[in-house]
Amino acid sequence: MAQKISLTRYLVEQQRADGLIPGQLRLLLEVVARACKSISQAVNKGALGGVLGSAESENVQGEVQKKLDIIANEVLIEANEWGGHLAAMASEEMDSIYVVPNRYPQGEYLLLFDPLDGSSNIDVNVSIGTIFSVLKKPDDTPGVQEGDFLQAGSRQVAAGYCIYGPQTTLVLTVGNGVAMFTLDREQGSFMLTQENIQIPADTKEFAINMSNMRHWDAPVKRYIDECLAGKEGPRGKDFNMRWIASMVADVHRILMRGGIFMYPWDKREPDKAGKLRLMYEANPMSWLVEQAGGAATNGRERILDLAPAKLHERVAVVLGSKNEVERVTRYHDPL
Ligand code: P6P
C-alpha cells in the first residue's frame, strides 16, 4: 500500500518535485476533487435524496438528462467559477462553453468534463463517474472562445476521473504517471492508495457492447471473433468479456488489471465517427491509459493526436493493453 498521504500533500510534493503542477493548476485539481466529493454524496443518497430519474430534458447530444446529470454539472460549475484559476468550462451537458463571469477573475486554464458518465446506470445502482480534462488557454487570443478548447489531447496538462462505486476513487495524471486516491469519508479527504499504475501489455479480457456486432466494420468483427474462438482459435487462449456501459468503470477495471475497451464506429449512424465524445471522454481517458503504459486509438490513429473540429465531436475508441490495441490497429491497416 502506497504511503497514506492526502491529495493535497501529493499535489504540493509533485509541484515541489518537478514543477508539473503550477499553483493555479494545483488549486484547480483540488477544487475538482472537492466537487467530486459533493457529487459522490448526492449519488450515494440515491432515492433518499430525490435525485434519481429523468430531468425531463435533453442535452446537446439529444440524450435524456437524468436529474443527477444536471446536479453534477451545476456542482462543477459552481465549485470552479469563482477561484480565478479558470477562463472557461465545457461540459457534455451544455451546448456551448461557460465563460467565467466578469464578477470573478479569469485564470489561464480551460476545464472540460463529462459531469456524470454512465448515467443510464444511475437508477440501477451501477458505478458511474465524472471525467475531466484540463487545457491551457492559448495566450495569443484576447478573451476566451470555443475555438480555444479545440486542442489535441496531447495538449492536456491534467486529466482524470472520479468513479462513484463501492469506493469513491479519484484517478489522476499530470503527465508523470497515474495515481489513485480513495475517499476517506471519515476524514473527508482523498488519500493516496496507489501510484505509478501500470496496465499489463497483454490481456484475456475485452469490453465491448456485443449487441452491436452486426453493425461493426470487418476489422473489429475479426478481432472479436478471434477472441470468442478462444483456445481453439488463432489466439490460442480463452478470453473473458465485461461491459458495464459506464466508460469510467470499464476504464478503471483496465487500469487495475488490464483489458481492452472498444466503442468502434458502426454503421447505425455512419456519419458519426463513434458514440463517445473526443474532448471530455476519449482524450482524458486516453492520456491516463498512455500514462499507465497502455495505448489508445480510434482504430487507426492515436487519439491524442486527433485535431478536434467541434467541441462535442465523437470518436471511435480502442484503448487498454498495448499489445491488444496494436493488434486491432494492424487489422484496420494490414499493409
Ligand atoms: P451503450 C455512457 O452512456 C457511455 O457514454 C459510456 O460511459 C459507455 O461506455 C457507453 O456510453 C455505453 O454505451 O451503447 O453500451 O449503452
Side-chain angles (χ1 to χ4, degrees):
M1 170 76 78
Q3 185 194 5
K4 278 180 69 81
I5 63 171
S6 69
L7 173 66
T8 300
R9 179 175 160 188
Y10 175 86
L11 294 174
V12 166
E13 289 179 348
Q14 288 290 319
Q15 180 181 359
R16 198 180 293 152
D18 53 22
L20 271 176
I21 312 182
Q24 287 297 313
L25 179 59
R26 179 162 65 82
L27 172 64
L28 165 51
L29 294 173
E30 290 195 275
V31 169
V32 169
R34 261 200 308 280
C36 290
K37 262 193 293 187
S38 304
I39 295 168
S40 173
Q41 280 154 359
V43 167
N44 288 166
K45 282 210 181 80
L48 297 175
V51 295
L52 300 185
S54 166
E56 314 296 330
S57 56
E58 277 194 359
N59 63 16
V60 64
Q61 328 286 341
E63 295 161 341
V64 173
Q65 290 175 304
K66 299 281 190 179
K67 288 177 192 164
L68 269 173
D69 284 324
I70 295 176
I71 292 167
N73 194 60
E74 286 166 358
V75 165
L76 282 158
I77 296 283
E78 286 161 19
N80 281 287
E81 64 176 349
W82 52 267
H85 47 276
L86 281 183
M89 294 177 247
S91 163
E92 180 188 68
E93 301 304 332
M94 300 188 299
D95 298 14
S96 49
I97 65 170
Y98 179 89
V99 177
V100 169
N102 292 332
R103 63 182 179 280
Y104 302 124
Q106 276 207 358
E108 59 181 332
Y109 293 106
L110 304 174
L111 177 65
L112 303 95
F113 47 82
D114 178 355
L116 208 56
D117 170 67
S119 42
S120 61
N121 285 325
I122 292 173
D123 296 346
V124 294
N125 199 14
V126 171
S127 298
I128 48 183
T130 298
I131 309 172
F132 62 90
S133 169
V134 183
L135 295 166
K136 282 199 77 173
K137 180 179 121 33
D139 48 20
D140 55 355
T141 52
V144 56
Q145 37 274 328
E146 188 165 300
D148 293 329
F149 284 79
L150 302 183
Q151 302 178 43
S154 55
R155 308 279 299 164
Q156 293 174 100
V157 293
Y161 62 80
C162 191
I163 179 169
Y164 312 115
Q167 301 97 43
T168 287
T169 305
L170 182 79
V171 176
L172 172 71
T173 186
V174 292
N176 61 340
V178 179
M180 184 169 90
F181 304 83
T182 303
L183 180 61
D184 178 337
R185 292 191 186 282
E186 280 136 34
Q187 285 195 50
S189 306
F190 280 104
M191 303 304 286
L192 179 68
T193 44
Q194 199 170 343
E195 50 187 332
N196 194 26
I197 292 172
Q198 290 297 307
I199 299 174
D202 294 303
T203 184
K204 294 181 180 177
E205 195 160 67
F206 66 90
I208 195 166
N209 183 336
M210 291 294 287
S211 69
N212 301 328
M213 179 176 263
R214 65 189 182 285
H215 306 304
W216 298 336
D217 239 353
V220 172
K221 200 160 176 328
R222 173 188 172 192
Y223 177 77
I224 296 296
D225 282 344
E226 290 181 355
C227 290
L228 295 173
K231 228 194 283 329
E232 297 72 33
R235 300 301 309 275
K237 62 182 181 180
D238 291 338
F239 280 76
N240 190 26
M241 195 212 93
R242 287 285 182 274
W243 187 250
I244 305 174
S246 176
M247 187 184 196
V248 172
D250 282 313
V251 171
H252 189 71
R253 185 190 58 254
I254 288 169
L255 279 167
M256 295 296 103
R257 70 185 193 209
I260 183 168
F261 171 97
M262 302 172 79
Y263 212 113
W265 171 92
D266 73 45
K267 50 180 181 273
R268 285 175 296 176
E269 295 185 274
D271 299 340
K272 278 186 185 172
K275 172 177 183 180
L276 302 180
R277 273 60 62 154
L278 174 61
M279 298 303 294
Y280 38 78
E281 289 177 332
N283 275 342
M285 291 310 205
S286 298
W287 197 27
L288 284 164
V289 164
E290 285 198 3
Q291 282 288 309
T297 74
N298 62 1
R300 289 188 166 82
E301 308 146 280
R302 182 177 178 242
I303 283 178
L304 294 183
D305 291 337
L306 299 177
K310 291 184 292 186
L311 188 61
H312 297 291
E313 78 180 59
R314 297 169 186 260
V315 66
V317 178
V318 178
L319 61 75
S321 293
K322 195 176 177 65
N323 293 344
E324 290 302 312
V325 173
E326 288 175 354
R327 175 183 288 268
V328 173
T329 307
R330 283 199 305 275
Y331 290 5
H332 278 82
D333 291 326
L335 302 177

